[in-house]
Amino acid sequence: MSQINIAIFGIGNVGSTLITQITDFNKKSSSKQLNIFCIANSTLALFQNETTGSWSADFENQSHPYTLDDIYAYAKKLKQQQESNHDDKSSFIAVDVTASPQFVENYVALVENGFHIVTANKIANTRSYDFYKTLRKSLKQHNKKFLYETNVGAGLPIIETIKSLYDSGEEIHKVRGIFSGSLSYLFNTFSAEDKSFSDILLEADALGLTEPDAREDLSGKDVARKLLILGREVGLTKEFDDVKVQSLVPKALNGTTTLPQFRESVKTLDAIFEKSKSQLGANEVLRHVGELDLKTQQLEVKLVQESKHTALGQTQGADAVFEIYTDSYGDHPLVIQGAGAGKAVTARGVLSDILKITTSLN
């Protein structure tokens, strides 16, 4: 059996939940153990030999500044120690549960230093296509794996399903869906209830369903990133700027407007969305969708009027839902639906990717 050693970068909601899930997994599993040898944020790191039981308390009291060279050196010593004590070999996985554009710059170096990569961070897969190709070239050269199921749909198996269909030769015509759990909640609630859009937005913010600055959600950029990731999975060489995005943020509330100013002016959104709601038919609802059309190679993020009788029209709460149209499925798409956001389901998806790598190594 391979010794599985994990360095976790990022200790926010998802990262801390993942650590708990790995701890619970190790208590229940008799076939494999996952060794977290390093826990790090952007400036501080805690190594395995410094832990006493409670990682969060240890991190607060014993973590210290680090560079990636420190982690590479520690991993090298750990590998030598494990391989001298066992007949099996050591494997190392770097887990990125940050949202940092800067940390992505380290991926190629991590691969070159012997790490597989699991990430919930969408940045690497939505940077320039040149970077996208360079990373995959390095992975192939060093025989390392790169898994990122949680980039789209949190714990839902969207990327795996689409990649499997594409790799098997299935002709995919279109992928259409509600990619954002926060926007799903906003428009599911707004379409069904007699409440102002601003009140629902503030409720969603209080529930932690939106980004701290809700304009990040309303801009559609996060959905655009997810759509681009799926497009590249099926062979498109598109760039982020190729995605047509309908922003739901008025220009007057964007740009130099501060977050407090946006929150004070949020009621100006009400008239805009009331107008859209007033144009709905008797059996229609508003939905925020991403659409990938393989025939036209168009990627688009937009607000649409959707029939209540479709999979997208029937969503409730903060669910994400994806329709995959292919030759084999004809006019009846393959539908994947479930929680599209949340620290628990995202962390579980990351853990699932880690376990896929461990299985492939044995």
Side-chain angles (χ1 to χ4, degrees):
M1 294 287 289
S2 175
Q3 299 294 307
I4 307 302
N5 303 289
I6 299 170
I8 296 178
F9 298 92
I11 55 173
N13 288 334
V14 175
S16 57
T17 303
L18 175 63
I19 294 168
T20 300
Q21 290 182 358
I22 291 175
T23 302
D24 291 343
F25 173 86
N26 285 337
K27 291 177 182 177
K28 298 174 183 176
S29 175
S30 58
S31 61
K32 65 181 71 174
Q33 293 288 291
L34 305 177
N35 172 42
I36 302 175
F37 77 92
C38 179
I39 298 170
N41 62 18
S42 59
T43 57
L44 302 173
L46 174 72
F47 289 93
Q48 179 192 53
N49 61 359
E50 299 161 334
T51 60
T52 60
S54 170
W55 76 266
S56 56
D58 289 339
F59 192 91
E60 183 175 350
N61 296 323
Q62 301 183 60
S63 61
H64 47 75
Y66 75 99
T67 67
L68 282 180
D69 285 338
D70 297 326
I71 292 177
Y72 301 149
Y74 188 94
K76 184 177 180 179
K77 290 181 180 179
L78 183 60
K79 182 179 179 69
Q80 291 171 343
Q81 176 186 344
Q82 290 178 343
E83 293 186 353
S84 67
N85 293 335
H86 304 278
D87 292 329
D88 41 41
K89 60 182 181 179
S90 296
S91 296
F92 291 81
I93 303 174
V95 178
D96 178 7
V97 280
T98 74
S100 168
Q102 291 76 30
F103 189 76
V104 168
E105 299 283 351
N106 302 312
Y107 280 16
V108 171
L110 283 162
V111 170
E112 291 173 345
N113 280 274
F115 284 82
H116 303 280
I117 298 177
V118 171
T119 185
N121 187 344
K122 292 182 281 290
I123 302 298
N125 284 322
T126 56
R127 289 190 60 183
S128 72
Y129 193 70
D130 284 343
F131 177 86
Y132 187 87
K133 290 189 296 182
T134 297
L135 175 57
R136 280 154 178 78
K137 182 179 179 181
S138 179
L139 290 160
K140 185 175 181 180
Q141 287 176 339
H142 296 276
N143 195 28
K144 297 301 174 187
K145 295 187 179 297
F146 176 41
L147 297 184
Y148 42 89
E149 184 63 64
T150 54
N151 276 196
V152 181
L156 298 175
I158 306 305
I159 293 174
E160 180 180 10
T161 300
I162 286 177
K163 188 171 179 58
S164 295
L165 288 169
Y166 180 74
D167 289 346
S168 69
E170 179 67 66
E171 186 173 350
I172 300 173
H173 302 303
K174 183 189 296 185
V175 180
R176 186 171 182 266
I178 296 172
F179 286 68
S180 166
S182 56
L183 290 171
S184 179
Y185 176 84
L186 291 174
F187 289 106
N188 290 346
T189 307
F190 183 63
S191 294
E193 299 184 15
D194 186 21
K195 292 182 178 179
S196 69
F197 187 84
S198 60
D199 284 345
I200 296 169
L201 184 62
L202 293 173
E203 287 174 9
D205 178 55
L207 292 169
L209 294 175
T210 66
E211 294 293 331
D213 187 341
R215 289 175 294 185
E216 290 294 315
D217 300 296
L218 296 171
S219 72
K221 290 181 179 179
D222 187 59
V223 175
R225 291 187 187 97
K226 296 175 182 179
L227 200 59
L228 178 61
I229 290 167
L230 293 187
R232 287 177 169 178
E233 289 297 316
V234 294
L236 299 186
T237 59
K238 298 289 187 178
E239 302 288 357
F240 182 77
D241 288 343
D242 294 325
V243 185
K244 183 178 179 182
V245 182
Q246 177 190 2
S247 174
L248 303 182
V249 184
K251 290 183 179 179
L253 297 183
N254 218 333
T256 58
T257 306
T258 66
L259 179 56
Q261 288 171 331
F262 169 71
R263 287 179 170 164
E264 289 174 5
S265 305
V266 73
K267 287 194 174 298
T268 60
L269 296 171
D270 290 340
I272 298 170
F273 292 111
E274 280 297 338
K275 181 178 180 181
S276 297
K277 190 174 183 178
S278 70
Q279 295 170 347
L280 293 172
N283 291 306
E284 290 182 331
V285 289
L286 290 172
R287 293 294 184 261
H288 187 271
V289 305
E291 187 170 297
L292 165 62
D293 190 322
L294 273 298
K295 291 184 179 179
T296 63
Q297 296 197 2
Q298 295 293 311
L299 299 87
E300 188 171 6
V301 179
K302 55 190 175 182
L303 187 66
V304 300
Q305 298 170 216
E306 184 76 13
S307 168
K308 292 181 180 179
H309 305 299
T310 66
L312 273 63
Q314 293 176 11
T315 52
Q316 297 182 355
D319 274 5
V321 58
F322 302 85
E323 297 177 330
I324 305 170
Y325 293 83
T326 76
D327 261 0
S328 297
Y329 286 94
D331 294 332
H332 302 283
L334 169 63
V335 177
I336 299 174
Q337 181 172 353
K343 62 182 182 181
V345 293
T346 303
R348 189 67 64 186
V350 172
L351 178 54
S352 178
D353 276 350
I354 292 170
L355 293 175
K356 288 174 190 174
I357 291 179
T358 66
T359 300
S360 72
L361 297 174
N362 294 321

